[in-house]
Each structure stands twice: as C-alpha cells, then as structure tokens.
Amino acid sequence: DGGITQSPKYLFRKEGQNVTLSCEQNLNHDAMYWYRQDPGQGLRLIYYSQIVNDFQKGDIAEGYSVSREKKESFPLTVTSAQKNPTAFYLCASSIVYQETQYFGPGTRLLVL
Amino acid sequence: AQSVTQLDSHVSVSEGTPVLLRCNYSSSYSPSLFWYVQHPNKGLQLLLKYTSAATLVKGINGFEAEFKKSETSFHLTKPSAHMSDAAEYFCVVRLIMNYGGSQGNLIFGKGTKLSVKP
C-alpha cells in the first residue's frame, strides 16, 4: 500500500532534550511538509521541502530543524530551543510543490 | 493577504439531517480551496478541492461544496449526516502568489468540530 507513515505515534521529551520525528512516504512525491497542530488553531507550517537536499522555513520554524537526504524521508527534529513543543505533528507530501497535499497519521509529542 | 475563516467552531446535527459547515476566504486572486476531515488522533484526509473548474465540487462520502466568488464562500454540505461523519473539518486555501516566500503553501482555518447525535 502506498502512503505516508509517521513514527512514533506518541513521543515523550524530557527538558533540554532533542527528539526526532520520522516521516516516510512511498508515493514518489517530490515535496514534503511538516505542520504543527494545536487545539483551536488549525495547522501551522514548520518546514517544507520541494526537492531532495533542499528545504525552506515555514511560519514557525524556530526551535525545529529538518533534513531531506532522501526523496522518501523528511525527519523533523524538535530541539531544546523549542520551549513549547507539546503538540500534534503532521507530515504531508505532494507530487510536486503546489499540488494537493496528502497527510500522514501524525505524532503526538508530550513533554515530561 | 489571503486568509480563511471557519464561521463555527462546533456544529451539532442529528443523524439523517443536513450538514452545513461554513467557510469564508479572503484572496486577491482566484484561490484554490480544499476541505479536509480529521478523525480523532488521525491525520487529515482530503474531502474535496476547488481549482477554478466547476463551482460545485463533489467529494468523498457524499460531501460537496460550492464556490461562490460574490460571497467569497466555500461552504461544505451533506444532505444526510451519518454517525461516522463526526470529526473535525478544515477549510484550506492555497497561496498562489508570493507571500512572504511561502508561495504554494496552505493556509488552514481553525477547524469546525462536527458532532452527530443518534
């Protein structure tokens, strides 16, 4: 089955710790995206990548980092600089940039 | 600037009655508009999209939406609600011109939670 997978489903972070969220797609999509979802606020764009080895900041990139070494993978690292990381994180992809986006099942990050 | 406003944060209907979820957008250009649905603790699923073809767009699960340029609206409707329709619905507009370097990116409404009573 083609699709987008995110792991883990739940992730716990200790104070001062960096954590990495995984996003993998086997749809052969060029573009990938990371969003953060908070209750009552919709989704906000963290980072996006139009092609391998290239990515751009979205609206709320501070405290996050990404890499795009492979077409199918776009991991997101939540660094210790992100002071309020508790949220639901969604990864998406599209055939090419500006086309319809398809979403993964999400990872819920909680701070201990 | 482009934006999207979902007029109701929560809508409650009885099973078998019509559903109306309201969305207004602001855009200086012809927008691309989408409706996504999210069930609890799940990702978003595309219901339908408008991209300047027919103004009445049919989507999955019996949903449809009508693009009304004069009213800058893109309301989502369904003739008869099912219990399985209970979820959160997001109206989304896609930026089509350079805007802070985020051309092509999506702007999400804050969501409408749909409850369906038996």
Side-chain angles (χ1 to χ4, degrees), chain A residues 23-25 29-30 32 49 51-54 67-75:
Chain A
C23 177
E24 304 276 332
Q25 53 96 2
H29 286 177
D30 280 323
M32 297 186 74
S49 168
I51 199 166
V52 175
N53 293 321
D54 183 59
S67 62
R68 186 85 188 278
E69 297 176 1
K70 298 186 296 182
K71 186 176 185 177
E72 59 269 25
S73 179
F74 191 41

Side-chain angles (χ1 to χ4, degrees), chain B residues 62-84:
Chain B
F63 284 94
E64 62 183 36
E66 186 171 9
F67 173 71
K68 292 187 176 180
K69 187 175 182 179
S70 61
E71 299 177 10
T72 61
S73 69
F74 190 57
H75 302 334
L76 182 70
T77 60
K78 183 174 180 177
S80 175
H82 292 263
M83 296 297 293
S84 59

Side-chain angles (χ1 to χ4, degrees), chain B residues 12 69 113:
Chain B
S12 181
K69 187 175 182 179
K113 286 190 178 177

Side-chain angles (χ1 to χ4, degrees), chain A residues 33 35 37 40-43 45 48 59 88 90 97-101 103-105 108, chain B residues 34 36 38 41-44 46 49 88 90 94 101-106 108-110:
Chain A
Y33 313 78
Y35 293 90
Q37 185 179 23
Q41 293 196 39
L43 277 68
L45 183 66
Y48 64 100
D59 300 317
F88 192 49
L90 288 157
Y97 187 56
Q98 299 187 10
E99 284 300 319
T100 302
Q101 295 182 23
F103 286 79
R108 188 165 297 281
Chain B
F34 307 79
Y36 282 88
Q38 184 181 34
N41 295 308
K42 302 289 186 184
L44 275 68
L46 180 68
K49 63 179 179 180
E88 189 159 21
F90 292 93
R94 183 167 66 203
S102 298
Q103 180 181 358
N105 289 332
L106 303 180
F108 285 79
K110 295 190 175 183

